Amino acid sequence: MTGPLPVLTATDGPGSPAEEPRLELPLLEPFFRLDRALLGVEVLVLGLLLAGMILLGLSQVILREFFQSGLAWADGLIRHLVLLSGLFGAMTATHARRHLAMDALVRILPGKARRLAEVVVQLLAAGTCFWLLALVIPYLREELAHGGEVVAFGITQPQVQLAFPVAFAIMGFRFALMGLNDGLLLCFPRAEAALRRGSGN
Amino acid sequence: MTWIIGGGLTLATLLGAPLFVILALVTVLGFMADGQDPAILFTEIFKIAEQPMFVAIPLFTFAGYLMAESKTSVRLIDLTRALVGWMPGGVAIVALLSCAFFTVFTGVSGVTVIALGGLLMPALLQEGYSQKFALGLLTTGGSRGLLFPPSLPIIIYGVMAQVDISKLFIAGVVPGVLDLLAALVLCFILGRKGPVERVPFRLEEAWRALKAAAWEIPVPFIIFGGIYGGFLTAAEAAVTMALYVFVVEVFIYRDLHWRKDVPRVVRESMVLVGGILIIIGAALGLTNLLVDREVPDHLFKAIEPFITNKLTFLLVLNVFLLVVAALLDVFSAILVVLPLILPLAANYDIDPVHLGIVFLMNLEIGYSLPPMGLNLFVASFRFSQPILALYKATVPFLIVTLLVLGLVTYVPGISLWLLGVLQP
């Protein structure tokens, strides 16, 4: 095979070839544990969001077709669940390193240059997420002070938007963790070699 | 300073920075440079919760991933093989139809090549097809089917262009069928050339395959019937399909275990949904900035002296989109490029539904177009073949699809005729 291997992105989806196990520095282990614990919560929330969208959507169809009625708040709530699934899905995509990206150039870079490029973009992404976090907090404070429209069950739109800072914080944390881990591994090849031996690669 | 930031962001994009990061940075920096509140970005992202069309994205994706992770592909290939395997070029037709069907439900991505390639490649070689033919068919097959409902790129185009998704679903049918027919003719011709064995038709075999796939066959009809019968909106069709496919794969076929497999499918599908929705949010912010700065107007004024009519615009658009599609994945291409193209196309009086079909067909081809089309790399990886072999193998398939693209681009009636019949 002479062609370069593709950098697998989110578009690869199900049936993708198994990923190479990631090397994690023992120094950062507590942070990786936190990352995995957060992932568990995110998957649970995503499952509940999907179930909520399906059940509410189905109720609306049944109520309309058979009883000529419907729940006034359900459509709005479903739309907000979609937004939340996008934000939680984006957090999960950060863990899986599968955000959509243009990787045409990276694909043709040699090994070390490619890894360096990955570290740089991870740190840039971390910085951006933390900056967005700093921008969204005063915006939300103002929105919460105004109250805003009720979505359902007394929950207002700005309260739903509280997911923004959560998403930016978690994505920023993950990008920073990956950038730090990969950057240190790149700087200390001996530590990397020892980890590879340990993981059987 | 602007040039340094612009250059840095372009480099970061080329180095593989997440597109949502780049779009968000450009939007925030742009609004700040204009002396406006950068928090406009958040109000734009929040618009995802204001449009009912977005509901279709997570639910169709979830349903597609459920099918991709279960044994649907095996049953699908079995069924098409039993039904059309006896024809000249039969197994090739099986491969083509299976790829199209699978692409529709899993979105245009490397998924089809990866999931079906392993099953179809040996089947094609065993039946006597050349490796070159099989490689070309399966590589380009990874994006064929994109024009049929409920393909995710159609939904995303509709959401971004503010075009009714049901209309796009209808408009895609005739061009999609033409595209398939053109490839079928090619399979027929190339299939006849070699010493290809035909599988005889056996009624009991067809009946067995039909029974095995009995629960999955209704899926397209639920969507078509629901939407075109006027019972369901596109979003409600997504709800129905997600629930139906979940029940079928988890409780009837039991291909997926609700505790062991479903959480994985939720995670995998929502990774894609999250990746797409966060870019949509950032792209909405960027669109706001572009409109604010009258960028589409300036762009139109700049190209107007060179591109004087609709036909030239469409030709330039085709070339531009083929290049874009070879560099970006389908979703990113729609989200990044559409905000600029849409107002330009409106200036040339191009119907947004027709534009959508042309747009998506270009992306379908660009996905397998040398030298950088993503399908080529995925197939190179999947089949352990040199990328150059794939360049050669895909040529005949790309030529026929390009011919269909030419027709679809310059004869708007191909896209709009059925729409006129069904929704006069």
Side-chain angles (χ1 to χ4, degrees), chain A residues 113-192:
Chain A
R114 178 156 138 188
R115 288 177 58 189
L116 181 65
E118 281 170 5
V119 171
V120 171
V121 297
Q122 278 158 358
L123 294 177
L124 173 77
T128 307
C129 287
F130 289 133
W131 191 25
L132 293 176
L133 175 65
L135 290 172
V136 82
I137 289 172
Y139 160 79
L140 261 186
R141 207 174 277 153
E142 210 171 297
E143 291 283 303
L144 285 165
H146 282 112
E149 210 175 295
V150 174
V151 180
F153 308 117
I155 299 167
T156 62
Q157 282 187 339
Q159 284 169 341
V160 175
Q161 291 184 61
L162 284 170
F164 281 144
V166 175
F168 294 136
I170 290 179
M171 285 195 287
F173 160 70
R174 282 183 172 147
F175 280 126
L177 182 61
M178 289 185 301
L180 196 61
N181 183 69
D182 296 359
L184 287 172
L185 285 171
L186 198 60
C187 294
F188 300 100
R190 272 198 213 160
E192 185 180 350

Side-chain angles (χ1 to χ4, degrees), chain B residues 186-263:
Chain B
L186 191 68
C187 288
F188 181 75
I189 296 167
L190 295 180
R192 275 166 64 109
K193 260 190 192 172
V196 175
E197 279 179 36
R198 293 187 202 172
V199 186
F201 179 79
R202 283 202 296 267
L203 190 63
E204 66 273 28
E205 189 63 20
W207 179 242
R208 187 197 55 76
L210 208 62
K211 266 203 311 192
W215 288 97
E216 278 153 343
I217 294 169
V219 172
F221 299 101
I222 292 175
I223 299 161
F224 274 105
I227 295 175
Y228 305 138
F231 309 111
L232 303 169
T233 61
E236 288 167 350
V239 168
T240 315
M241 179 177 156
L243 184 69
Y244 180 83
V245 171
F246 179 79
V247 171
V248 165
E249 305 300 350
V250 177
F251 298 111
I252 297 176
Y253 286 124
R254 298 189 183 178
D255 286 347
L256 298 171
H257 190 274
W258 69 273
R259 198 157 42 87
K260 283 188 213 146
D261 302 313
V262 173

Side-chain angles (χ1 to χ4, degrees), chain A residues 55-57 59-61 63-64 69-78 153:
Chain A
L55 293 177
L56 279 173
S59 320
Q60 288 294 79
V61 175
L63 285 172
R64 190 191 58 224
S69 71
L71 305 167
W73 46 269
D75 289 338
L77 181 57
I78 294 172
F153 308 117

Side-chain angles (χ1 to χ4, degrees), chain A residues 11 15 17 64 98 100 106-107, chain B residues 15 109 114 231 236 377 381:
Chain A
T11 49
R64 190 191 58 224
R98 280 172 34 197
L100 297 174
V106 186
R107 266 190 247 147
Chain B
L15 289 178
S109 56
I114 288 167
F231 309 111
E236 288 167 350
F377 288 89
F381 182 73

Side-chain angles (χ1 to χ4, degrees), chain B residues 72-123:
Chain B
T72 307
S73 52
V74 178
R75 285 186 289 269
L76 178 66
I77 292 171
D78 245 21
L79 177 67
T80 39
R81 197 171 174 174
L83 293 180
V84 299
W86 56 271
M87 293 180 187
V91 180
I93 297 170
V94 170
L96 196 64
L97 294 179
S98 313
C99 282
F101 185 88
F102 210 72
T103 302
V104 168
F105 288 99
T106 58
V108 175
S109 56
V111 179
T112 304
V113 175
I114 288 167
L116 295 190
L119 295 163
L120 289 170
M121 180 57 102

Side-chain angles (χ1 to χ4, degrees), chain B residues 390-411:
Chain B
L390 289 159
Y391 289 173
K392 285 183 204 151
T394 47
V395 167
F397 291 93
L398 288 174
I399 290 174
V400 290
T401 315
L402 278 168
L403 290 174
V404 178
L405 171 67
L407 269 178
V408 171
T409 305
Y410 300 108
V411 186

